[in-house]
Amino acid sequence: MSATSHSHSSLGTSSRTTTSYGEVIARRGESTPTGGSTRSSEPVRPPTPRSPSPVDPLGPVRSQVAQTIVLRATRNAETIEGTKVGVVLTLPYASGEEFLKTVASALKRTMLPKLQSYLFVLALPVPGPGTSPILISSSSEELAERAGILVKAKFLNRVERHALRHGRWGALVRDLCSTPYDEAALWDAVRKAARPPLDPLVPPPGSRSITQILQRARARLQRVSPQQAFEELQDTSLQWPVVLVDIRPEAQRREYGGIAGALVVERNVLEWRFDPRCAYRLPIADRYDLRVIVFCQESYTSSLAAASLHDLGLLNATDMIGGYAAWKEAGLPDEVEVSSTAPPTDGRISVPLDNPGN
């Protein structure tokens, strides 16, 4: 096998340096044979034979486990705009990131013959505080990078390092899956990343206009007129407490006036004040049969707010048609006395409180 040629002008060859596979590169200070006519002052030492790489006895087992994980993941995957997507959360292994690469390789072998676009997040959540590796495996680098950007945005300062290599996006995430949010966030990232770019003037599939959202919210409610709301507040025969709740911002209350006796709970904290499971709830919000009548200035925001209370389980919640403007127009008093009561709860909290989270 020839050594590297530095100059072969006498033979008419190019002066560009080339290196042949398997050649012996001379150490610094040693002469290099040129053209085969000059011998080195020292004999060329044969290369030291490399010791064979150690065989991993658990390699076949890991490959089999990885293939089982892939089969389960593809079976539970979703298809978004022609792309198969999924999230795989598996038990931590000592090999960590290397095991995720094994799973990614098995996923590629499974999906490649099908010629189908795919995007999967593979993760090894570590129990307790610490960082966990995640690897985004995809049929294209663009898909992997797009999903990685979304994951990084969702986990904010929890991503300690990340990189895009060989078409895969990998990262270390602090306290992964310490809350149910994390898995939901990973699913949301792959679903959104799988959608192809859309025309900015065409509504995305599944989206709704605010008119549709308002109609759907009101379809869930048994809305009441201002007069009906006033009568409910005075009715002592009801078996549940009734509260009138003003969710307008302070500027509107100052400009248009208010109803003395109504609870003032601005919209941005409404759910936290009326969720019976929340540690920041009002004392009266300790039961699910509470009748909450919400009003705003003209009853648009109040309909959405009442529907949100339904999502918390307060199925008696509703809003007042026409809002405060309709209350004034009906000539109802600016001060109400809430006479509606309900059986006492014997001094106990009827719904256990959740621990407050971030």
Side-chain angles (χ1 to χ4, degrees), residues 85-122:
V85 303
V87 173
V88 178
L89 304 177
T90 186
L91 296 174
Y93 287 83
S95 54
E97 296 176 52
E98 290 302 318
F99 180 70
L100 289 185
K101 294 177 184 177
T102 302
V103 177
S105 297
L107 180 62
K108 183 177 181 179
R109 289 193 301 270
T110 300
M111 299 300 297
L112 198 59
K114 301 178 181 179
L115 300 177
Q116 183 178 13
S117 175
Y118 68 90
L119 177 63
F120 283 79
V121 172
L122 315 174

PDB file of all heavy atoms in Angstrom, residues 85-122:
ATOM      1  N   VAL A  85     -47.973   9.758  14.862  1.00  0.00           N
ATOM      2  CA  VAL A  85     -47.309  10.424  15.982  1.00  0.00           C
ATOM      3  C   VAL A  85     -47.580   9.652  17.270  1.00  0.00           C
ATOM      4  O   VAL A  85     -48.587   8.955  17.401  1.00  0.00           O
ATOM      5  CB  VAL A  85     -47.779  11.889  16.149  1.00  0.00           C
ATOM      6  CG1 VAL A  85     -47.546  12.680  14.886  1.00  0.00           C
ATOM      7  CG2 VAL A  85     -49.250  11.962  16.555  1.00  0.00           C
ATOM      8  N   GLY A  86     -46.654   9.801  18.218  1.00  0.00           N
ATOM      9  CA  GLY A  86     -46.841   9.139  19.503  1.00  0.00           C
ATOM     10  C   GLY A  86     -45.841   9.625  20.524  1.00  0.00           C
ATOM     11  O   GLY A  86     -44.855  10.306  20.203  1.00  0.00           O
ATOM     12  N   VAL A  87     -46.102   9.284  21.780  1.00  0.00           N
ATOM     13  CA  VAL A  87     -45.218   9.603  22.901  1.00  0.00           C
ATOM     14  C   VAL A  87     -44.940   8.300  23.637  1.00  0.00           C
ATOM     15  O   VAL A  87     -45.878   7.581  24.009  1.00  0.00           O
ATOM     16  CB  VAL A  87     -45.845  10.638  23.849  1.00  0.00           C
ATOM     17  CG1 VAL A  87     -44.980  10.828  25.092  1.00  0.00           C
ATOM     18  CG2 VAL A  87     -46.036  11.972  23.139  1.00  0.00           C
ATOM     19  N   VAL A  88     -43.676   7.997  23.835  1.00  0.00           N
ATOM     20  CA  VAL A  88     -43.270   6.762  24.517  1.00  0.00           C
ATOM     21  C   VAL A  88     -42.550   7.140  25.805  1.00  0.00           C
ATOM     22  O   VAL A  88     -41.493   7.763  25.778  1.00  0.00           O
ATOM     23  CB  VAL A  88     -42.337   5.920  23.630  1.00  0.00           C
ATOM     24  CG1 VAL A  88     -41.898   4.669  24.380  1.00  0.00           C
ATOM     25  CG2 VAL A  88     -43.030   5.555  22.329  1.00  0.00           C
ATOM     26  N   LEU A  89     -43.138   6.784  26.936  1.00  0.00           N
ATOM     27  CA  LEU A  89     -42.508   6.977  28.239  1.00  0.00           C
ATOM     28  C   LEU A  89     -42.169   5.597  28.776  1.00  0.00           C
ATOM     29  O   LEU A  89     -43.066   4.801  29.056  1.00  0.00           O
ATOM     30  CB  LEU A  89     -43.456   7.703  29.200  1.00  0.00           C
ATOM     31  CG  LEU A  89     -43.988   9.063  28.729  1.00  0.00           C
ATOM     32  CD1 LEU A  89     -44.978   9.625  29.746  1.00  0.00           C
ATOM     33  CD2 LEU A  89     -42.851  10.040  28.501  1.00  0.00           C
ATOM     34  N   THR A  90     -40.906   5.313  28.896  1.00  0.00           N
ATOM     35  CA  THR A  90     -40.494   3.986  29.316  1.00  0.00           C
ATOM     36  C   THR A  90     -39.686   4.048  30.599  1.00  0.00           C
ATOM     37  O   THR A  90     -39.246   5.122  31.011  1.00  0.00           O
ATOM     38  CB  THR A  90     -39.676   3.292  28.207  1.00  0.00           C
ATOM     39  OG1 THR A  90     -39.410   1.944  28.582  1.00  0.00           O
ATOM     40  CG2 THR A  90     -38.371   4.026  27.964  1.00  0.00           C
ATOM     41  N   LEU A  91     -39.497   2.913  31.220  1.00  0.00           N
ATOM     42  CA  LEU A  91     -38.758   2.856  32.480  1.00  0.00           C
ATOM     43  C   LEU A  91     -37.297   3.188  32.253  1.00  0.00           C
ATOM     44  O   LEU A  91     -36.729   2.857  31.204  1.00  0.00           O
ATOM     45  CB  LEU A  91     -38.888   1.465  33.103  1.00  0.00           C
ATOM     46  CG  LEU A  91     -40.293   1.043  33.525  1.00  0.00           C
ATOM     47  CD1 LEU A  91     -40.275  -0.409  33.982  1.00  0.00           C
ATOM     48  CD2 LEU A  91     -40.814   1.933  34.635  1.00  0.00           C
ATOM     49  N   PRO A  92     -36.664   3.856  33.212  1.00  0.00           N
ATOM     50  CA  PRO A  92     -35.249   4.213  33.030  1.00  0.00           C
ATOM     51  C   PRO A  92     -34.353   2.985  33.015  1.00  0.00           C
ATOM     52  O   PRO A  92     -34.564   2.030  33.762  1.00  0.00           O
ATOM     53  CB  PRO A  92     -34.957   5.108  34.239  1.00  0.00           C
ATOM     54  CG  PRO A  92     -35.975   4.731  35.259  1.00  0.00           C
ATOM     55  CD  PRO A  92     -37.203   4.335  34.492  1.00  0.00           C
ATOM     56  N   TYR A  93     -33.363   3.021  32.138  1.00  0.00           N
ATOM     57  CA  TYR A  93     -32.359   1.968  32.055  1.00  0.00           C
ATOM     58  C   TYR A  93     -30.995   2.571  32.363  1.00  0.00           C
ATOM     59  O   TYR A  93     -30.774   3.769  32.213  1.00  0.00           O
ATOM     60  CB  TYR A  93     -32.334   1.341  30.656  1.00  0.00           C
ATOM     61  CG  TYR A  93     -33.516   0.455  30.367  1.00  0.00           C
ATOM     62  CD1 TYR A  93     -34.728   0.998  29.938  1.00  0.00           C
ATOM     63  CD2 TYR A  93     -33.439  -0.922  30.524  1.00  0.00           C
ATOM     64  CE1 TYR A  93     -35.820   0.188  29.677  1.00  0.00           C
ATOM     65  CE2 TYR A  93     -34.525  -1.732  30.265  1.00  0.00           C
ATOM     66  CZ  TYR A  93     -35.706  -1.181  29.832  1.00  0.00           C
ATOM     67  OH  TYR A  93     -36.784  -1.967  29.574  1.00  0.00           O
ATOM     68  N   ALA A  94     -30.084   1.710  32.765  1.00  0.00           N
ATOM     69  CA  ALA A  94     -28.743   2.191  33.107  1.00  0.00           C
ATOM     70  C   ALA A  94     -28.073   2.838  31.907  1.00  0.00           C
ATOM     71  O   ALA A  94     -27.294   3.763  32.038  1.00  0.00           O
ATOM     72  CB  ALA A  94     -27.898   1.038  33.643  1.00  0.00           C
ATOM     73  N   SER A  95     -28.380   2.329  30.696  1.00  0.00           N
ATOM     74  CA  SER A  95     -27.745   2.873  29.501  1.00  0.00           C
ATOM     75  C   SER A  95     -28.313   4.221  29.084  1.00  0.00           C
ATOM     76  O   SER A  95     -27.737   4.896  28.247  1.00  0.00           O
ATOM     77  CB  SER A  95     -27.889   1.879  28.349  1.00  0.00           C
ATOM     78  OG  SER A  95     -29.247   1.539  28.176  1.00  0.00           O
ATOM     79  N   GLY A  96     -29.464   4.613  29.650  1.00  0.00           N
ATOM     80  CA  GLY A  96     -30.010   5.945  29.438  1.00  0.00           C
ATOM     81  C   GLY A  96     -30.194   6.326  27.995  1.00  0.00           C
ATOM     82  O   GLY A  96     -30.988   5.728  27.270  1.00  0.00           O
ATOM     83  N   GLU A  97     -29.438   7.346  27.557  1.00  0.00           N
ATOM     84  CA  GLU A  97     -29.601   7.889  26.220  1.00  0.00           C
ATOM     85  C   GLU A  97     -29.315   6.848  25.151  1.00  0.00           C
ATOM     86  O   GLU A  97     -29.928   6.870  24.084  1.00  0.00           O
ATOM     87  CB  GLU A  97     -28.695   9.108  26.059  1.00  0.00           C
ATOM     88  CG  GLU A  97     -29.053  10.261  26.993  1.00  0.00           C
ATOM     89  CD  GLU A  97     -28.082  11.418  26.882  1.00  0.00           C
ATOM     90  OE1 GLU A  97     -27.841  11.869  25.746  1.00  0.00           O
ATOM     91  OE2 GLU A  97     -27.559  11.862  27.914  1.00  0.00           O
ATOM     92  N   GLU A  98     -28.370   5.953  25.396  1.00  0.00           N
ATOM     93  CA  GLU A  98     -28.061   4.921  24.412  1.00  0.00           C
ATOM     94  C   GLU A  98     -29.262   4.013  24.166  1.00  0.00           C
ATOM     95  O   GLU A  98     -29.502   3.558  23.045  1.00  0.00           O
ATOM     96  CB  GLU A  98     -26.849   4.095  24.866  1.00  0.00           C
ATOM     97  CG  GLU A  98     -25.540   4.837  24.817  1.00  0.00           C
ATOM     98  CD  GLU A  98     -25.222   5.358  23.427  1.00  0.00           C
ATOM     99  OE1 GLU A  98     -25.451   4.609  22.435  1.00  0.00           O
ATOM    100  OE2 GLU A  98     -24.752   6.497  23.310  1.00  0.00           O
ATOM    101  N   PHE A  99     -30.027   3.738  25.216  1.00  0.00           N
ATOM    102  CA  PHE A  99     -31.201   2.892  25.041  1.00  0.00           C
ATOM    103  C   PHE A  99     -32.247   3.606  24.184  1.00  0.00           C
ATOM    104  O   PHE A  99     -32.917   2.973  23.357  1.00  0.00           O
ATOM    105  CB  PHE A  99     -31.797   2.508  26.387  1.00  0.00           C
ATOM    106  CG  PHE A  99     -33.015   1.633  26.264  1.00  0.00           C
ATOM    107  CD1 PHE A  99     -32.900   0.326  25.820  1.00  0.00           C
ATOM    108  CD2 PHE A  99     -34.270   2.122  26.564  1.00  0.00           C
ATOM    109  CE1 PHE A  99     -34.020  -0.487  25.683  1.00  0.00           C
ATOM    110  CE2 PHE A  99     -35.396   1.323  26.434  1.00  0.00           C
ATOM    111  CZ  PHE A  99     -35.273   0.015  25.995  1.00  0.00           C
ATOM    112  N   LEU A 100     -32.384   4.924  24.361  1.00  0.00           N
ATOM    113  CA  LEU A 100     -33.321   5.668  23.517  1.00  0.00           C
ATOM    114  C   LEU A 100     -32.906   5.592  22.046  1.00  0.00           C
ATOM    115  O   LEU A 100     -33.758   5.492  21.158  1.00  0.00           O
ATOM    116  CB  LEU A 100     -33.382   7.130  23.958  1.00  0.00           C
ATOM    117  CG  LEU A 100     -34.086   7.421  25.288  1.00  0.00           C
ATOM    118  CD1 LEU A 100     -34.169   8.924  25.527  1.00  0.00           C
ATOM    119  CD2 LEU A 100     -35.484   6.813  25.333  1.00  0.00           C
ATOM    120  N   LYS A 101     -31.602   5.616  21.787  1.00  0.00           N
ATOM    121  CA  LYS A 101     -31.128   5.479  20.415  1.00  0.00           C
ATOM    122  C   LYS A 101     -31.465   4.097  19.864  1.00  0.00           C
ATOM    123  O   LYS A 101     -31.801   3.949  18.683  1.00  0.00           O
ATOM    124  CB  LYS A 101     -29.624   5.726  20.348  1.00  0.00           C
ATOM    125  CG  LYS A 101     -29.219   7.159  20.674  1.00  0.00           C
ATOM    126  CD  LYS A 101     -27.710   7.316  20.655  1.00  0.00           C
ATOM    127  CE  LYS A 101     -27.296   8.734  21.073  1.00  0.00           C
ATOM    128  NZ  LYS A 101     -25.817   8.875  21.116  1.00  0.00           N
ATOM    129  N   THR A 102     -31.382   3.089  20.725  1.00  0.00           N
ATOM    130  CA  THR A 102     -31.749   1.739  20.302  1.00  0.00           C
ATOM    131  C   THR A 102     -33.227   1.682  19.928  1.00  0.00           C
ATOM    132  O   THR A 102     -33.612   1.082  18.921  1.00  0.00           O
ATOM    133  CB  THR A 102     -31.448   0.727  21.425  1.00  0.00           C
ATOM    134  OG1 THR A 102     -30.068   0.793  21.768  1.00  0.00           O
ATOM    135  CG2 THR A 102     -31.793  -0.690  20.996  1.00  0.00           C
ATOM    136  N   VAL A 103     -34.081   2.321  20.740  1.00  0.00           N
ATOM    137  CA  VAL A 103     -35.514   2.366  20.436  1.00  0.00           C
ATOM    138  C   VAL A 103     -35.755   3.132  19.143  1.00  0.00           C
ATOM    139  O   VAL A 103     -36.561   2.728  18.301  1.00  0.00           O
ATOM    140  CB  VAL A 103     -36.286   3.012  21.604  1.00  0.00           C
ATOM    141  CG1 VAL A 103     -37.769   3.138  21.259  1.00  0.00           C
ATOM    142  CG2 VAL A 103     -36.125   2.199  22.884  1.00  0.00           C
ATOM    143  N   ALA A 104     -35.037   4.261  18.966  1.00  0.00           N
ATOM    144  CA  ALA A 104     -35.204   5.060  17.748  1.00  0.00           C
ATOM    145  C   ALA A 104     -34.805   4.263  16.510  1.00  0.00           C
ATOM    146  O   ALA A 104     -35.469   4.342  15.461  1.00  0.00           O
ATOM    147  CB  ALA A 104     -34.381   6.342  17.857  1.00  0.00           C
ATOM    148  N   SER A 105     -33.733   3.493  16.605  1.00  0.00           N
ATOM    149  CA  SER A 105     -33.311   2.666  15.472  1.00  0.00           C
ATOM    150  C   SER A 105     -34.349   1.590  15.163  1.00  0.00           C
ATOM    151  O   SER A 105     -34.653   1.309  13.995  1.00  0.00           O
ATOM    152  CB  SER A 105     -31.956   2.030  15.773  1.00  0.00           C
ATOM    153  OG  SER A 105     -30.955   3.022  15.939  1.00  0.00           O
ATOM    154  N   ALA A 106     -34.900   0.980  16.200  1.00  0.00           N
ATOM    155  CA  ALA A 106     -35.948  -0.026  16.000  1.00  0.00           C
ATOM    156  C   ALA A 106     -37.190   0.604  15.377  1.00  0.00           C
ATOM    157  O   ALA A 106     -37.851   0.001  14.521  1.00  0.00           O
ATOM    158  CB  ALA A 106     -36.293  -0.691  17.331  1.00  0.00           C
ATOM    159  N   LEU A 107     -37.503   1.824  15.787  1.00  0.00           N
ATOM    160  CA  LEU A 107     -38.655   2.531  15.216  1.00  0.00           C
ATOM    161  C   LEU A 107     -38.429   2.812  13.733  1.00  0.00           C
ATOM    162  O   LEU A 107     -39.334   2.631  12.907  1.00  0.00           O
ATOM    163  CB  LEU A 107     -38.865   3.838  15.986  1.00  0.00           C
ATOM    164  CG  LEU A 107     -40.032   4.726  15.553  1.00  0.00           C
ATOM    165  CD1 LEU A 107     -41.358   4.002  15.739  1.00  0.00           C
ATOM    166  CD2 LEU A 107     -40.033   6.027  16.345  1.00  0.00           C
ATOM    167  N   LYS A 108     -37.219   3.218  13.390  1.00  0.00           N
ATOM    168  CA  LYS A 108     -36.907   3.492  11.986  1.00  0.00           C
ATOM    169  C   LYS A 108     -37.019   2.230  11.145  1.00  0.00           C
ATOM    170  O   LYS A 108     -37.578   2.251  10.040  1.00  0.00           O
ATOM    171  CB  LYS A 108     -35.499   4.086  11.880  1.00  0.00           C
ATOM    172  CG  LYS A 108     -35.101   4.483  10.471  1.00  0.00           C
ATOM    173  CD  LYS A 108     -33.730   5.127  10.476  1.00  0.00           C
ATOM    174  CE  LYS A 108     -33.331   5.544   9.060  1.00  0.00           C
ATOM    175  NZ  LYS A 108     -32.002   6.197   9.036  1.00  0.00           N
ATOM    176  N   ARG A 109     -36.507   1.106  11.661  1.00  0.00           N
ATOM    177  CA  ARG A 109     -36.596  -0.154  10.920  1.00  0.00           C
ATOM    178  C   ARG A 109     -38.044  -0.587  10.713  1.00  0.00           C
ATOM    179  O   ARG A 109     -38.386  -1.183   9.700  1.00  0.00           O
ATOM    180  CB  ARG A 109     -35.830  -1.255  11.656  1.00  0.00           C
ATOM    181  CG  ARG A 109     -34.327  -1.110  11.617  1.00  0.00           C
ATOM    182  CD  ARG A 109     -33.647  -2.388  12.071  1.00  0.00           C
ATOM    183  NE  ARG A 109     -34.033  -2.756  13.440  1.00  0.00           N
ATOM    184  CZ  ARG A 109     -33.390  -2.349  14.527  1.00  0.00           C
ATOM    185  NH1 ARG A 109     -32.328  -1.544  14.406  1.00  0.00           N
ATOM    186  NH2 ARG A 109     -33.784  -2.720  15.722  1.00  0.00           N
ATOM    187  N   THR A 110     -38.898  -0.266  11.689  1.00  0.00           N
ATOM    188  CA  THR A 110     -40.306  -0.649  11.589  1.00  0.00           C
ATOM    189  C   THR A 110     -41.063   0.240  10.609  1.00  0.00           C
ATOM    190  O   THR A 110     -41.886  -0.230   9.826  1.00  0.00           O
ATOM    191  CB  THR A 110     -40.970  -0.567  12.973  1.00  0.00           C
ATOM    192  OG1 THR A 110     -40.303  -1.465  13.873  1.00  0.00           O
ATOM    193  CG2 THR A 110     -42.445  -0.931  12.904  1.00  0.00           C
ATOM    194  N   MET A 111     -40.782   1.556  10.631  1.00  0.00           N
ATOM    195  CA  MET A 111     -41.559   2.504   9.842  1.00  0.00           C
ATOM    196  C   MET A 111     -41.045   2.664   8.419  1.00  0.00           C
ATOM    197  O   MET A 111     -41.815   2.992   7.516  1.00  0.00           O
ATOM    198  CB  MET A 111     -41.562   3.867  10.536  1.00  0.00           C
ATOM    199  CG  MET A 111     -42.179   3.866  11.926  1.00  0.00           C
ATOM    200  SD  MET A 111     -43.918   3.341  11.931  1.00  0.00           S
ATOM    201  CE  MET A 111     -44.665   4.624  10.944  1.00  0.00           C
ATOM    202  N   LEU A 112     -39.738   2.454   8.201  1.00  0.00           N
ATOM    203  CA  LEU A 112     -39.160   2.716   6.883  1.00  0.00           C
ATOM    204  C   LEU A 112     -39.806   1.917   5.769  1.00  0.00           C
ATOM    205  O   LEU A 112     -40.136   2.472   4.715  1.00  0.00           O
ATOM    206  CB  LEU A 112     -37.645   2.459   6.933  1.00  0.00           C
ATOM    207  CG  LEU A 112     -36.827   3.078   5.802  1.00  0.00           C
ATOM    208  CD1 LEU A 112     -37.006   4.582   5.774  1.00  0.00           C
ATOM    209  CD2 LEU A 112     -35.356   2.727   5.952  1.00  0.00           C
ATOM    210  N   PRO A 113     -40.039   0.595   5.944  1.00  0.00           N
ATOM    211  CA  PRO A 113     -40.663  -0.157   4.835  1.00  0.00           C
ATOM    212  C   PRO A 113     -42.071   0.337   4.510  1.00  0.00           C
ATOM    213  O   PRO A 113     -42.544   0.112   3.390  1.00  0.00           O
ATOM    214  CB  PRO A 113     -40.679  -1.599   5.356  1.00  0.00           C
ATOM    215  CG  PRO A 113     -39.643  -1.640   6.432  1.00  0.00           C
ATOM    216  CD  PRO A 113     -39.668  -0.292   7.060  1.00  0.00           C
ATOM    217  N   LYS A 114     -42.731   0.984   5.455  1.00  0.00           N
ATOM    218  CA  LYS A 114     -44.102   1.436   5.216  1.00  0.00           C
ATOM    219  C   LYS A 114     -44.153   2.750   4.457  1.00  0.00           C
ATOM    220  O   LYS A 114     -45.222   3.198   4.036  1.00  0.00           O
ATOM    221  CB  LYS A 114     -44.839   1.594   6.556  1.00  0.00           C
ATOM    222  CG  LYS A 114     -44.910   0.310   7.364  1.00  0.00           C
ATOM    223  CD  LYS A 114     -45.610   0.543   8.690  1.00  0.00           C
ATOM    224  CE  LYS A 114     -45.658  -0.732   9.524  1.00  0.00           C
ATOM    225  NZ  LYS A 114     -46.319  -0.524  10.834  1.00  0.00           N
ATOM    226  N   LEU A 115     -43.002   3.407   4.324  1.00  0.00           N
ATOM    227  CA  LEU A 115     -42.914   4.690   3.611  1.00  0.00           C
ATOM    228  C   LEU A 115     -43.904   5.701   4.164  1.00  0.00           C
ATOM    229  O   LEU A 115     -44.510   6.487   3.419  1.00  0.00           O
ATOM    230  CB  LEU A 115     -43.140   4.481   2.111  1.00  0.00           C
ATOM    231  CG  LEU A 115     -42.158   3.539   1.396  1.00  0.00           C
ATOM    232  CD1 LEU A 115     -42.548   3.365  -0.054  1.00  0.00           C
ATOM    233  CD2 LEU A 115     -40.735   4.047   1.517  1.00  0.00           C
ATOM    234  N   GLN A 116     -44.108   5.693   5.467  1.00  0.00           N
ATOM    235  CA  GLN A 116     -45.044   6.621   6.097  1.00  0.00           C
ATOM    236  C   GLN A 116     -44.294   7.624   6.962  1.00  0.00           C
ATOM    237  O   GLN A 116     -43.322   7.287   7.642  1.00  0.00           O
ATOM    238  CB  GLN A 116     -46.055   5.873   6.973  1.00  0.00           C
ATOM    239  CG  GLN A 116     -47.101   6.812   7.593  1.00  0.00           C
ATOM    240  CD  GLN A 116     -48.129   6.057   8.410  1.00  0.00           C
ATOM    241  OE1 GLN A 116     -47.949   4.887   8.714  1.00  0.00           O
ATOM    242  NE2 GLN A 116     -49.203   6.715   8.777  1.00  0.00           N
ATOM    243  N   SER A 117     -44.748   8.863   6.912  1.00  0.00           N
ATOM    244  CA  SER A 117     -44.171   9.900   7.767  1.00  0.00           C
ATOM    245  C   SER A 117     -44.497   9.590   9.225  1.00  0.00           C
ATOM    246  O   SER A 117     -45.615   9.178   9.553  1.00  0.00           O
ATOM    247  CB  SER A 117     -44.748  11.264   7.377  1.00  0.00           C
ATOM    248  OG  SER A 117     -44.312  12.274   8.256  1.00  0.00           O
ATOM    249  N   TYR A 118     -43.499   9.772  10.107  1.00  0.00           N
ATOM    250  CA  TYR A 118     -43.742   9.497  11.526  1.00  0.00           C
ATOM    251  C   TYR A 118     -42.981  10.486  12.390  1.00  0.00           C
ATOM    252  O   TYR A 118     -41.984  11.081  11.988  1.00  0.00           O
ATOM    253  CB  TYR A 118     -43.346   8.060  11.882  1.00  0.00           C
ATOM    254  CG  TYR A 118     -41.859   7.767  11.816  1.00  0.00           C
ATOM    255  CD1 TYR A 118     -41.037   7.937  12.943  1.00  0.00           C
ATOM    256  CD2 TYR A 118     -41.273   7.307  10.645  1.00  0.00           C
ATOM    257  CE1 TYR A 118     -39.675   7.662  12.874  1.00  0.00           C
ATOM    258  CE2 TYR A 118     -39.923   7.030  10.579  1.00  0.00           C
ATOM    259  CZ  TYR A 118     -39.125   7.211  11.697  1.00  0.00           C
ATOM    260  OH  TYR A 118     -37.784   6.950  11.640  1.00  0.00           O
ATOM    261  N   LEU A 119     -43.463  10.643  13.634  1.00  0.00           N
ATOM    262  CA  LEU A 119     -42.859  11.560  14.602  1.00  0.00           C
ATOM    263  C   LEU A 119     -43.183  11.050  16.002  1.00  0.00           C
ATOM    264  O   LEU A 119     -44.347  11.019  16.402  1.00  0.00           O
ATOM    265  CB  LEU A 119     -43.410  12.978  14.421  1.00  0.00           C
ATOM    266  CG  LEU A 119     -42.944  14.050  15.399  1.00  0.00           C
ATOM    267  CD1 LEU A 119     -41.438  14.269  15.291  1.00  0.00           C
ATOM    268  CD2 LEU A 119     -43.681  15.359  15.159  1.00  0.00           C
ATOM    269  N   PHE A 120     -42.150  10.653  16.745  1.00  0.00           N
ATOM    270  CA  PHE A 120     -42.338  10.100  18.084  1.00  0.00           C
ATOM    271  C   PHE A 120     -41.398  10.785  19.065  1.00  0.00           C
ATOM    272  O   PHE A 120     -40.243  11.053  18.738  1.00  0.00           O
ATOM    273  CB  PHE A 120     -42.068   8.592  18.102  1.00  0.00           C
ATOM    274  CG  PHE A 120     -43.178   7.758  17.524  1.00  0.00           C
ATOM    275  CD1 PHE A 120     -43.322   7.622  16.148  1.00  0.00           C
ATOM    276  CD2 PHE A 120     -44.089   7.118  18.355  1.00  0.00           C
ATOM    277  CE1 PHE A 120     -44.332   6.863  15.608  1.00  0.00           C
ATOM    278  CE2 PHE A 120     -45.117   6.354  17.823  1.00  0.00           C
ATOM    279  CZ  PHE A 120     -45.238   6.227  16.452  1.00  0.00           C
ATOM    280  N   VAL A 121     -41.905  11.033  20.268  1.00  0.00           N
ATOM    281  CA  VAL A 121     -41.070  11.476  21.374  1.00  0.00           C
ATOM    282  C   VAL A 121     -40.791  10.262  22.259  1.00  0.00           C
ATOM    283  O   VAL A 121     -41.721   9.600  22.732  1.00  0.00           O
ATOM    284  CB  VAL A 121     -41.754  12.581  22.203  1.00  0.00           C
ATOM    285  CG1 VAL A 121     -40.933  12.884  23.458  1.00  0.00           C
ATOM    286  CG2 VAL A 121     -41.902  13.857  21.385  1.00  0.00           C
ATOM    287  N   LEU A 122     -39.522   9.975  22.465  1.00  0.00           N
ATOM    288  CA  LEU A 122     -39.098   8.875  23.326  1.00  0.00           C
ATOM    289  C   LEU A 122     -38.478   9.468  24.578  1.00  0.00           C
ATOM    290  O   LEU A 122     -37.631  10.358  24.493  1.00  0.00           O
ATOM    291  CB  LEU A 122     -38.067   7.999  22.612  1.00  0.00           C
ATOM    292  CG  LEU A 122     -38.376   7.629  21.154  1.00  0.00           C
ATOM    293  CD1 LEU A 122     -37.213   6.879  20.532  1.00  0.00           C
ATOM    294  CD2 LEU A 122     -39.655   6.813  21.072  1.00  0.00           C
TER     295      LEU A 122
END
